[in-house]
Amino acid sequence: MSSSKKEVADEKELAPCMNNGDAAAEEDDANTGGGGGEVVEEDEEGEREFAAAMAQLAPEGVRALHARVDAEWGPVLQSACQTAAARALWCRAVRDPAAAVLAGERYLRGLHEKMRRDERAGAREVHGVMIAVRTLWFDARIEAAVDRLGGDPQVVILGAGMDARAYRLNCLKECMVFELDFPELLEMKSDLLHEAMSSANHQKLTLMAKSLIRVPANIHDGDWVTKLQSCGYVPERNTIWVLEGIIYYLHHADAMQVLETIAASRSSASTVLLADFMNKNATSLSPTMYHFYHDSPDLLLPSIGFSKVTLSQIGDPQAHFGLLSHPENLFDKLRRLPRSVEKNPEDGTPCCRLYFVEASASPDDQIMCPLDHYLE
């Protein structure tokens, strides 16, 4: 399973639904009004950021590679570029110097137009904000986990897509980073970065991690762990597992196999899992794409071997980052409702939730009795 598949929903499905639809947002903001001066200032800043991102696509080799992506890749693989576009255009919050190169013109331009429309309308949530918050949450938790595990754990990013953390997180300077994804995606990613860095005018990228190893594999296949080990992953070393926007694309049996495999690694070393989960209502946004869900991942994970689990929702103090300033934004409304509430009492719409979860395990932990009724 690739993170490229995860990102189809991030922009096409989940974010618009959380915005309550563009038309609804525009109608609501017509009533609240928009500050003319602030809108002009935001427009100008947004245009400068867009121009800077587009300038990184100037090298002929980069443009030729993205032409291949547009012509040859299907929507699953192309969606990896879509998430990179969100990271590139939310550069006021997310520092990712490789994002624009990995995104390409098609997705930069498409997202830029949506963001400008939202900002001019004074929308409660601007397109891409969910990816920006999610990125920052994972960044912060990776840094905290590295520090807690002594500064040099392995970091395994399952379904890495166009992730560039190995180039931008200084906390990884003593870490071996493994990126696992489809072979064709990892090859294109490597080629794009090589072409960009070969250009005299492009900002040079420095590998922040101690090492970066790309593992061509499909998480659906039963041998992905074997391939990971053949590339240098050592089960006996402390490890941080990053599952950003991937688990809900798997069917139940596959998702549980991945989670149980990670939990089992606690028998020989300390393990930290960072992942995001959808609740059942959220999977209904795209039933053909979303399969695995859990309404209480903070109960599920202890049942398979994790000893400490912390759950956050977008808008919580540790998952806000100053990016949700509108007082009526949907994320704040959702988190104020008990998680057991399935429909918003204001309008009867389903409560579609995305949970950010950090879990840890070590050889000394005891496994709780399985909560079978939570696994159904």
Side-chain angles (χ1 to χ4, degrees):
M1 174 67 188
S2 164
S3 70
S4 53
K5 186 168 186 176
K6 70 184 180 185
E7 293 141 357
V8 172
D10 289 343
E11 283 297 300
K12 291 185 179 177
E13 299 288 347
L14 191 54
C17 287
M18 287 189 170
N19 284 344
N20 287 335
D22 296 325
E26 290 175 9
E27 179 181 354
D28 178 74
D29 295 310
N31 296 327
T32 61
E38 292 182 2
V39 170
V40 170
E41 185 176 334
E42 288 181 355
D43 272 359
E44 292 176 349
E45 185 174 6
E47 291 301 328
R48 287 193 296 270
E49 292 166 352
F50 176 63
M54 291 295 292
Q56 296 188 46
L57 302 178
E60 183 177 342
V62 171
R63 301 185 75 84
L65 287 168
H66 274 295
R68 281 180 48 201
V69 169
D70 293 343
E72 300 173 10
W73 283 13
V76 170
L77 292 177
Q78 287 181 353
S79 65
C81 302
Q82 198 170 38
T83 288
R87 290 172 176 155
L89 296 184
W90 278 86
C91 57
R92 280 167 276 182
V94 179
R95 181 191 171 277
D96 190 339
V101 167
L102 297 174
E105 180 176 356
R106 176 181 177 183
Y107 292 105
L108 287 172
R109 192 173 297 281
L111 180 59
H112 172 68
E113 292 173 357
K114 293 176 182 177
M115 290 175 66
R116 296 290 77 76
R117 182 183 64 206
D118 289 345
E119 289 168 354
R120 289 166 183 164
R124 291 170 292 184
E125 304 90 25
V126 176
H127 268 79
V129 69
M130 188 186 70
I131 293 178
V133 171
R134 190 183 71 184
T135 298
L136 292 171
W137 183 87
F138 275 89
D139 286 354
R141 300 326 303 158
I142 289 171
E143 182 174 4
V146 168
D147 183 65
R148 189 165 67 251
L149 294 178
D152 62 347
Q154 301 170 120
V155 178
V156 180
I157 306 175
L158 295 184
M162 294 299 188
D163 188 290
R165 286 187 169 93
Y167 293 95
R168 63 184 184 82
L169 294 187
N170 187 58
C171 65
L172 301 177
K173 61 185 178 182
E174 300 298 329
C175 300
M176 295 178 62
V177 176
F178 298 87
E179 295 182 347
L180 188 147
D181 212 320
F182 292 129
E184 60 269 39
L185 189 150
L186 293 180
E187 182 179 0
M188 177 62 71
K189 179 180 182 178
S190 178
D191 289 347
L192 282 167
L193 293 175
H194 174 75
E195 287 292 336
M197 287 189 284
S198 298
S199 170
N201 297 324
H202 191 271
Q203 177 182 354
K204 300 304 179 184
L205 295 175
T206 301
L207 184 65
M208 296 292 188
K210 180 179 180 180
S211 63
L212 171 60
I213 302 168
R214 296 192 171 105
V215 184
N218 188 334
I219 201 172
H220 282 295
D221 297 337
D223 63 348
W224 65 270
V225 176
T226 301
K227 291 180 178 179
L228 186 61
Q229 289 183 263
S230 70
C231 290
Y233 164 74
V234 180
E236 292 76 23
R237 290 189 59 193
N238 295 341
T239 304
I240 301 168
W241 296 83
V242 180
L243 280 67
E244 183 181 4
I246 180 175
I247 198 71
Y248 29 83
Y249 285 92
L250 303 177
H251 288 279
H252 182 89
D254 292 332
M256 289 305 302
Q257 186 273 332
V258 170
L259 294 173
E260 289 169 353
T261 296
I262 295 172
S265 66
R266 71 185 241 291
S267 63
S268 53
S270 294
T271 297
V272 173
L273 169 69
L274 302 173
D276 54 329
F277 289 75
M278 285 183 175
N279 71 345
K280 184 176 182 179
N281 281 338
T283 61
S284 67
L285 297 174
S286 184
T288 60
M289 294 174 62
Y290 304 141
H291 304 289
F292 181 74
Y293 66 87
H294 211 285
D295 293 315
S296 300
D298 48 341
L299 296 178
L300 166 67
L301 294 176
S303 76
I304 61 173
F306 290 96
S307 60
K308 182 179 180 181
V309 181
T310 303
L311 180 147
S312 303
Q313 297 184 71
I314 296 178
D316 284 347
Q318 61 272 46
H320 189 288
F321 304 101
L323 301 183
L324 304 169
S325 57
H326 197 291
E328 296 298 318
N329 77 80
L330 180 60
F331 301 110
D332 278 342
K333 288 184 177 181
L334 281 173
R335 73 186 188 89
R336 286 195 291 264
L337 293 172
R339 283 162 51 192
S340 59
V341 174
E342 295 191 3
K343 290 188 177 181
N344 191 322
E346 291 184 5
D347 54 19
T349 57
C351 292
C352 300
R353 301 178 187 270
L354 185 69
Y355 300 125
F356 297 154
V357 180
E358 177 176 5
S360 59
S362 68
D364 297 330
D365 293 341
Q366 298 295 318
I367 299 179
M368 294 174 57
C369 295
L371 303 176
D372 293 335
H373 59 291
Y374 283 111
L375 302 181
E376 296 300 327

